[in-house]
Every structure is written in C-alpha cells, then in structure tokens.
C-alpha cells in the first residue's frame, strides 16, 4: 500500500477505524472521512502515533457537495485517489409496520445514497489515473435475515436490509461501468462484529440478547474481530485482488441464515 492514497468513510469508529488503521500499517496515506470530528481526530492521532500517515476530513456522505469537496481536497493534497472504502453506515432496527418514512430515508440516504455519491465523486479521478479500487461495505443482512426477537432485533431491519442488498447490486453495476477504466469495485458483507453501532440503538439487556442471537447464527459461533474485517477489505483494495471485480465477500463466520 506504499504510495497509495486511501479514503475510508466512517472511519472515526468501529470497522472503518480498523480498516483505516490496517491500511496505514501497510504504508497507505489514509484519509479518515467521518461526520464526527472528535472521533476522526482520535483515529488520526492513533494512526500517527503508530507511525502511519493520516489526515482527517469532516464529511457528511449524504451531502453531495461535501463529498465532492472531499475528493477534490484529497486529489489536490495528494495528487491522486487510489482507494475508496464506502463504510459509513447506520441502522434503525424497527418493526416494518412502525418504520416511518423518515426512518427509511435516514437509513437509505446514508447506507445507499452515500455510497453512490462517494463512488460517483471518486470515479473521475480514478478514471483519469486508469486505476482505482472501490470497496463497499454491505452486510450479511443484505442477502439474509435474522430471526425476529423483538422490535429492536436485526429481524426488524427492512430499511437496513434493503439498503445493504442494493449496495451489493450497486457494486456489480459500478464494476461494469468502471471496469474498462481499470477500476475494481468490490463489496464486503460483514456478519456480526462488536462495534459502537451494535449498542447505539439498544439497552444493555437488548445488546446481550442481540449478541446471543447473532453469535448463534454463525457456524464459528462468535462475533468477528474488527481486524478480521479489515484483512478482507485490505485484500480487495490491494493489487493481489487485481482480477476480482463486482464480487461480494462475506466475512461473517459462516452465517447459516441466508434465505
Ligand atoms: N458492526 C457490525 O456488526 C456490522 C455488520 C454488518 C455491516 N456493518 C456495516 O459496517 C459499517 C460500519 O459499521 P460499524 O459497526 O463500524 O458502525 P459505527 O457506528 O461504529 O461507525 C460508523 C461511523 O460512520 C460515521 N457516520 C455516520 N453518519 C455519517 C455520515 N453521514 N457521513 C460520514 N460518516 C458518518 C459515524 O460517525 C461512525 O464513525 C456500516 O456500513 C455498517 O452497516 C456493521
């Protein structure tokens, strides 16, 4: 990853932070692009303390102008945009019947439209270079379901699952459009990882129940470690994956609930 410039959205926290840190460890210059300024600064500091190269950028990936500015600033500062990891995401677990239009829009705007905006803004730079790697983060809920154990369970994920399924298909269409320009577009679908997202929308008891159900859904019967997700993203963003595009790699401990 030496000489590569990598933008990781939502890398102030959780999986994105692990991905950014891993890329920096491999020599990439990492741009930590997140809505949260304080966690962004923390990630940048931790990467630098470990000897890596990183800068932070406050961005709301649902805002096309913000995203355009991010890409232009990175290209101006570094001369190129080699890698884009579309990781920023949220979930609202809510029964289908009580999911409001606003809930739906909040999830779809970030988890799907944000991916579209970022890829669209990065593409001109990658096309000009005739080289680039885009890795989109979907979810195992993009193709599977989870048993319903209450209104805050992953079973109640119509908006989230719809967005994450669309990210898998968006990956394929972008791979087709950008392939002739030497740009690989792939997707990683994580199973269950313990991150701030896991607890953001639940009480501690609900988190416990969530952990129990989710762990039992994977043949490895445990949650993933954030670095295990980062390894997979690193591979797809590397030259070792040069002949892979339009692919979705499941990093889910062998979930058994795909329907
Ligand atoms: N944790 C899991 O088990 C799991 C499973 C499957 C998929 N995923 C996906 O992985 C990705 C990361 O999840 P996580 O668990 O690390 O979550 P997280 O909540 O720890 O991190 C998400 C990050 O996105 C940032 N963000 C939120 N809105 C943003 C916006 N509008 N613009 C820019 N940044 C924004 C947040 O500030 C945060 O730093 C998400 O796309 C999520 O859907 C996670």
């Amino acid at each position: 990853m030496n000489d590569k410039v990598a933008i990781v959205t939502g890398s102030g926290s959780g999986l994105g932070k692990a991905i950014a840190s891993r890329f920096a460890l491999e020599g990439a210059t990492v741009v930590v692009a997140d809505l949260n300024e304080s966690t962004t600064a923390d990630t940048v500091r931790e990467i630098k303390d470990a000897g890596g190269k990183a800068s932070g950028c406050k961005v709301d990936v649902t805002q096309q102008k913000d995203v355009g500015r991010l890409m232009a600033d990175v290209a101006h500062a570094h001369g190129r945009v080699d890698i884009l990891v579309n990781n920023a995401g949220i979930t609202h677990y809510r029964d289908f019947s009580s999911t409001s239009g606003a809930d739906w829009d909040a999830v779809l705007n970030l988890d799907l439209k944000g991916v579209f905006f970022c890829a669209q803004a990065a593409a001109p730079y990658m096309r000009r270079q005739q080289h680039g790697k885009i890795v989109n983060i979907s979810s195992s809920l993009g193709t599977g379901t989870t048993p319903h154990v209450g209104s805050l369970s992953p079973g109640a994920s119509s908006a989230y699952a719809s967005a994450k399924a669309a990210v898998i298909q968006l990956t394929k269409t972008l791979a087709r459009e950008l392939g002739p320009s030497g740009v690989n577009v792939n997707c990683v679908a994580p199973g269950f990882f313990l991150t701030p997202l896991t607890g953001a929308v639940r009480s501690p008891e609900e988190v416990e129940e969530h952990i129990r159900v989710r762990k039992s859904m994977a043949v490895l019967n445990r949650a993933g470690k954030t670095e295990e997700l980062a390894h997979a993203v690193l591979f797809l963003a590397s030259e070792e994956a040069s002949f892979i595009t339009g692919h979705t790699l499941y990093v889910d401990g062998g979930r058994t609930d795909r329907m």
Side-chain angles (χ1 to χ4, degrees), residues 146-157:
T146 293
H148 194 51
V149 287
S151 64
L152 292 176
S153 83
S157 57

Side-chain angles (χ1 to χ4, degrees), residues 13 15 34-35 59-61 87 138 160 164 190-191 193 195 197:
S13 162
L15 299 178
D34 199 295
L35 189 58
V59 63
D60 180 347
V61 298
N87 164 81
S138 175
Y160 183 71
K164 293 299 187 181
F193 290 78
T195 67
L197 180 82

Side-chain angles (χ1 to χ4, degrees), residues 9-211:
T9 70
S11 49
S13 162
L15 299 178
K17 182 174 184 172
I19 295 163
S21 304
R22 185 63 213 276
F23 280 17
L25 204 63
E26 297 293 326
T29 298
V30 179
V31 179
V32 177
D34 199 295
L35 189 58
N36 185 323
E37 272 182 296
S38 109
T39 57
T40 298
D42 291 345
T43 303
V44 169
R45 192 178 49 252
E46 285 173 38
I47 290 175
K48 285 184 171 169
D49 286 350
K53 296 181 285 255
S55 60
C57 182
K58 183 184 176 190
V59 63
D60 180 347
V61 298
T62 68
Q63 301 302 313
Q64 205 165 13
K65 266 195 182 154
D66 261 29
V67 170
R69 180 184 46 79
L70 164 70
M71 298 304 163
D73 286 354
V74 172
H76 181 72
H78 302 287
R80 46 196 307 112
V81 178
D82 296 300
I83 298 164
L84 167 67
V85 181
N86 282 313
N87 164 81
I90 45 158
T91 184
H92 288 178
Y93 292 139
R94 203 151 289 162
D95 282 334
F96 167 64
S97 51
S98 61
T99 296
S100 67
D103 294 332
W104 180 271
D105 288 346
V107 174
L108 272 285
N109 277 343
L110 177 52
D111 294 5
L112 180 57
K113 207 200 261 180
V115 175
F116 165 68
F117 281 160
C118 289
Q120 194 180 51
Y125 301 99
M126 293 182 170
R127 278 193 161 126
R128 206 169 302 146
Q129 296 158 193
Q130 288 288 297
H131 180 270
K133 309 275 186 187
I134 298 176
V135 183
N136 298 324
I137 306 300
S138 175
S139 166
S140 53
L141 289 175
T143 45
T145 60
T146 293
H148 194 51
V149 287
S151 64
L152 292 176
S153 83
S157 57
S158 55
Y160 183 71
S162 301
K164 293 299 187 181
V167 166
I168 291 172
Q169 188 63 11
L170 180 62
T171 299
K172 293 187 208 171
T173 58
L174 297 187
R176 188 172 276 282
E177 287 201 44
L178 295 175
S181 304
V183 179
N184 302 58
V185 188
N186 288 295
C187 181
V188 170
F192 178 46
F193 290 78
L194 277 171
T195 67
L197 180 82
T198 326
V201 290
R202 302 180 189 87
S203 68
E205 298 73 40
E206 286 164 342
V207 170
E208 279 307 306
E209 176 64 1
H210 180 75
I211 290 171

